Amino acid sequence: MVTRVIIIEDDQTIREGFTYLVNLSDGLKMVNSYASYEEAEPYLVSDFPDVILLDIELPGINGLDAISRIKKKYPAAHIIILTVYENEQNIFKALSLGASGYLTKNTPSSKIIESITEVLQGGGPLSANVAKMVIQSFRKNSQSPLSKRETQILEGIAEGKSRTRIASELFIDKETVKTHIKNIYSKLDVNSKEEALRIARQDKLI
Amino acid sequence: MVTRVIIIEDDQTIREGFTYLVNLSDGLKMVNSYASYEEAEPYLVSDFPDVILLDIELPGINGLDAISRIKKKYPAAHIIILTVYENEQNIFKALSLGASGYLTKNTPSSKIIESITEVLQGGGPLSANVAKMVIQSFRKNSQSPLSKRETQILEGIAEGKSRTRIASELFIDKETVKTHIKNIYSKLDVNSKEEALRIARQDKLI
DNA sequence: GCACAAATCCCCCTAAGCGGGTGATTACTC
DNA sequence: GAGTAATCACCCGCTTAGGGGGATTTGTGC
């Protein structure tokens, strides 16, 4: 039996990337891909998908609304949310609307396939397990000693960006970035990028 | 049918890494692992391997000698060479002795599994195909405008090492490294690490 | 209102890394 | 003897990363 997957995602590169990945896996087949929910809706039934990869930030009908509509029109499909922003509200909403899981768009490829097969086997819609995992994975934001801005900057550092680059991407001055970094180092009691990243990863701050 | 794999490799980390990888794949099973050929020899027949992953730089009996012995004692096995140094002589010798393929130890994991299954299906010992691929992949060293030392240093840069680190690893002065880099840039007609790496990869110089 | 945290920015400094330039010596090959 | 490879020594400017010292604005809570 082949697991039929479709993707609804406006970014062509991400769409193609996921298609490539899914088709690489034995037992998984990307039967179709769409840039919007409107485009996908007429084919939902004929595509006969087991799993739908659904972008939350969609043009037109957004991902959250799309979940409700899919659940109504084609309740058999497991929905996995794709998102760039790890926004708690949206992900919890999505899960409560019937999504089975979520993936960040930069999730390592191995995890992506793993998640698809996991969703198929175990969890029905909004399994307690998934909800728990989500809470777990968001533990970081809750009890972190770092402020939002500081976390954001530390994530930039984790991606190997320079202070200058982080500054321009956040539309703030280099000096501000520097101050934040100094504060981060002070809070984590370290004095280098490497140590800060080590502690942050260990304590799941990022 | 399960493909039986064994590995002969003195580095424990690499051994465990490959074992993990191989066992992850459906249809592949790592039946045993050994730190030297001497250790492996008594079990060659009982292990009944389809594929042997063999380190070239082995303590005691080295990989090249091991190939001959394996071919004599247990000719059915396909031998895949593991090596850190992409040394033409050794790899050609290995292939002429009856190895079916080779892998660099930092080959991406997807390629490793791919190579094992490829070797099983297609090429007998020293297939013309493999030889051609090897020659292809070594095209770099032959018609490269860069000297050996320059290539070596460029590879260091490709691994993200600083000039100082490259210098200490090659037991030469930082200034020497700098001069080499300047010469590399001049030969490749570029003015930065990034450009140099781009050109070098494009022209398969590294 | 006052304290505090968060976020923004401004200086000072040192050290290291990178790139460009201009030399040099040794040694080996054609 | 010309050329190349490999080694090293200075000059310069620029960027990045830290450490240190300030400052302001905005909001939230007591």
Side-chain angles (χ1 to χ4, degrees):
Chain A
M1 264 307 288
V2 176
T3 300
R4 302 172 64 83
V5 183
I6 68 171
I7 183 167
I8 307 175
E9 156 69 55
D10 60 321
D11 185 302
Q12 190 195 347
T13 308
I14 296 177
R15 218 161 53 225
E16 289 175 354
F18 274 86
T19 302
Y20 175 74
L21 265 174
V22 165
N23 284 335
L24 264 189
S25 305
D26 283 348
L28 296 185
K29 183 174 161 60
M30 185 71 82
V31 293
N32 253 322
S33 65
Y34 306 97
S36 69
Y37 177 72
E38 288 88 332
E39 198 185 308
E41 193 175 48
Y43 304 101
L44 274 185
V45 176
S46 59
D47 276 350
F48 199 58
D50 301 291
V51 174
I52 298 176
L53 303 176
L54 178 65
D55 187 15
I56 275 213
E57 298 95 8
L58 275 181
I61 296 173
N62 71 49
L64 293 174
D65 293 337
I67 295 177
S68 316
R69 291 174 185 239
I70 291 171
K71 280 287 154 190
K72 202 167 164 187
K73 196 175 173 76
Y74 190 75
H78 293 281
I79 298 172
I80 296 179
I81 296 304
L82 305 178
T83 176
V84 262
Y85 310 105
E86 295 211 353
N87 178 310
E88 290 165 81
Q89 276 74 34
N90 271 346
I91 292 179
F92 273 114
K93 271 186 206 161
L95 291 171
S96 61
L97 285 171
S100 303
Y102 80 100
L103 290 172
T104 309
K105 279 167 183 168
N106 53 14
T107 304
S109 51
S110 58
K111 280 278 169 196
I112 290 170
I113 301 305
E114 201 178 294
S115 302
I116 293 177
T117 51
E118 257 179 22
V119 160
L120 275 171
Q121 289 163 0
L126 190 57
S127 71
N129 220 357
V130 173
K132 202 174 140 199
M133 276 172 55
V134 174
I135 292 162
Q136 196 81 349
S137 86
F138 283 126
R139 190 171 58 85
K140 63 170 191 184
N141 281 3
S142 49
Q143 66 184 52
S144 172
L146 303 183
S147 71
K148 282 185 186 177
R149 203 52 154 175
E150 287 164 353
T151 307
Q152 208 173 357
I153 282 165
L154 191 55
E155 281 167 351
I157 294 175
E159 289 160 18
K161 293 171 185 167
S162 72
R163 293 180 188 176
T164 314
R165 192 169 159 206
I166 293 172
S168 74
E169 286 183 6
L170 297 180
F171 305 106
I172 55 178
D173 196 274
K174 307 173 199 182
E175 285 301 323
T176 308
V177 175
K178 197 178 161 185
T179 304
H180 285 307
I181 292 175
K182 279 188 280 194
N183 292 336
I184 292 170
Y185 287 4
S186 153
K187 284 181 178 176
L188 300 185
D189 192 26
V190 296
N191 27 41
S192 73
K193 287 197 296 180
E194 289 67 29
E195 288 177 276
L197 290 177
R198 195 175 47 75
I199 297 291
R201 282 176 178 136
Q202 178 190 303
D203 295 353
K204 299 201 178 168
L205 306 181
I206 55 167
Chain B
M1 263 305 289
V2 176
T3 300
R4 302 172 64 83
V5 183
I6 68 171
I7 183 167
I8 307 176
E9 157 68 56
D10 59 321
D11 185 302
Q12 192 195 345
T13 309
I14 296 176
R15 217 162 53 224
E16 289 174 354
F18 274 85
T19 301
Y20 175 73
L21 265 174
V22 165
N23 285 335
L24 265 189
S25 305
D26 284 346
L28 295 184
K29 183 176 160 58
M30 184 71 81
V31 294
N32 252 321
S33 65
Y34 306 97
S36 69
Y37 176 72
E38 289 87 333
E39 196 185 307
E41 194 177 47
Y43 305 100
L44 275 184
V45 176
S46 58
D47 277 349
F48 199 59
D50 301 291
V51 174
I52 299 176
L53 302 175
L54 179 65
D55 186 16
I56 276 214
E57 298 95 8
L58 276 180
I61 295 173
N62 70 50
L64 293 174
D65 292 338
I67 296 175
S68 315
R69 292 174 185 240
I70 292 170
K71 280 288 154 187
K72 203 167 163 186
K73 197 176 175 74
Y74 190 75
H78 292 282
I79 298 172
I80 296 179
I81 297 303
L82 304 178
T83 176
V84 262
Y85 310 104
E86 294 211 350
N87 179 309
E88 290 166 80
Q89 277 74 34
N90 272 346
I91 293 178
F92 273 114
K93 271 186 204 160
L95 292 170
S96 63
L97 285 171
S100 303
Y102 79 101
L103 289 173
T104 309
K105 278 167 185 167
N106 52 16
T107 303
S109 52
S110 58
K111 280 277 169 196
I112 290 170
I113 302 304
E114 201 178 294
S115 301
I116 293 176
T117 50
E118 257 179 22
V119 159
L120 276 171
Q121 290 163 359
L126 191 56
S127 71
N129 221 358
V130 174
K132 200 173 139 197
M133 276 173 55
V134 174
I135 292 163
Q136 197 81 352
S137 85
F138 282 128
R139 189 169 59 84
K140 60 169 195 187
N141 281 1
S142 50
Q143 65 184 52
S144 172
L146 303 182
S147 71
K148 282 186 186 176
R149 203 51 153 178
E150 287 164 353
T151 306
Q152 208 172 358
I153 283 166
L154 191 56
E155 282 167 351
I157 295 175
E159 289 161 19
K161 294 170 185 166
S162 72
R163 294 180 189 177
T164 314
R165 190 167 160 210
I166 294 172
S168 74
E169 286 182 6
L170 297 179
F171 305 104
I172 56 177
D173 195 276
K174 306 173 200 180
E175 285 300 323
T176 307
V177 175
K178 198 178 164 185
T179 304
H180 284 307
I181 291 175
K182 278 187 278 195
N183 291 335
I184 292 170
Y185 287 3
S186 154
K187 283 180 178 177
L188 300 185
D189 193 26
V190 297
N191 340 281
S192 74
K193 288 198 297 182
E194 288 69 29
E195 288 177 275
L197 290 176
R198 195 175 46 75
I199 296 290
R201 281 174 180 138
Q202 176 189 306
D203 293 355
K204 300 201 175 166
L205 306 181
I206 54 170

